[in-house]
Structure formats: C-alpha cells, structure tokens
Amino acid sequence: MTIRKKASWFDEESGYLVRPYAISGGRTSPDGSDFALITLVVALPASRTLDRRREQPELTAILDLTQERPLAIVEIAARLDLPASVVKVLCGDLLDKSMISVKKPSHEASAPSVELLERVINGIRRL
C-alpha cells in the first residue's frame, strides 16, 4: 500500500482535500532552517516515542518514510505528493522538535564537476 492511498489529505479522484498552505499553517519557508531540495532527512530514534495520534498526518508520514534510510526533501515530496515547499516547512517543524536529523549538501556538491559536464556534452554530440 502506498503512502498516497493511506493519506487522509489526498483523494485519487478529487486531488487534495486540504490545501497545501493549510498543511503548512500558511508558512512558505521553514523557520530558521534553509533546506535544499537534495537535503537528506532521517528520523531520529526519539521519533519512535512521539504520540503520533496528536501530530499532523503529514508529519508522521515523513517520519515513517525516513525511519529506515535518509531521503531527500524532493523524494519525500514526490512520495507524499506534496509540494516541496510544504515538505520543507514540515521538516523544519520536525527538526525543531528534534525528531529528525538533516544533512545539507556541501557547497561543492551543488555544482556538477567539469568531468560530468564534459561527458554530458560528448553524449549529446553523439546523438
């Protein structure tokens, strides 16, 4: 069973039952944190003791997804079918509660290497 089928905020025929801005409390960016789309998120052991009945279903879905292995913000957004901006806000909330750990990409990792660019250009030329 996929997360989408279990999610109470999404209906296959109707789409979102709750608007994304309502999920994030009207916020468009996380408080005090800046997440790139490739920032890795992993649930901490403390998240297992969280009373999930009192939390937003989106927060618990993120914790469930990241329990076993780290996932990028963009991957979480794709799996939950939520906008990445909403996932960033929710991950900021989880980080404030010390429920997740994040690994931000290094500045060097954000730019592709010259070797990679040359291989892409050569591949395009071969087409």
Side-chain angles (χ1 to χ4, degrees), residues 95-116:
L95 187 62
D96 290 344
K97 294 179 181 184
S98 300
M99 295 292 136
I100 61 169
S101 173
V102 296
K103 183 171 189 274
K104 296 180 182 180
S106 67
H107 217 333
E108 297 168 4
S110 61
S113 69
V114 174
E115 179 186 343
L116 175 64

Side-chain angles (χ1 to χ4, degrees), residues 3-5 7-24 56-58 61 73-87 90:
I3 295 292
R4 182 183 287 173
K5 290 183 181 175
S8 61
W9 66 89
F10 188 85
D11 180 66
E12 285 292 330
E13 295 175 14
S14 304
Y16 289 107
L17 301 176
V18 176
R19 294 284 177 223
Y21 61 82
I23 295 170
S24 64
Q56 286 179 262
E58 299 84 7
I73 295 283
V74 70
E75 192 172 359
I76 295 168
R79 289 188 183 194
L80 295 180
D81 198 28
L82 287 172
S85 59
V86 171
V87 172
L90 295 174

Side-chain angles (χ1 to χ4, degrees), residues 41-53 55 59-69 93-95 97-101:
V41 177
V42 66
L44 293 174
S47 68
R48 292 187 180 111
T49 62
L50 182 70
D51 185 5
R52 293 172 184 241
R53 294 172 294 173
E55 294 296 332
L59 293 178
T60 59
I62 291 171
L63 291 174
D64 289 341
L65 284 173
T66 59
Q67 201 71 52
E68 307 239 345
R69 67 181 181 93
D93 294 346
L94 288 171
L95 187 62
K97 294 179 181 184
S98 300
M99 295 292 136
I100 61 169
S101 173

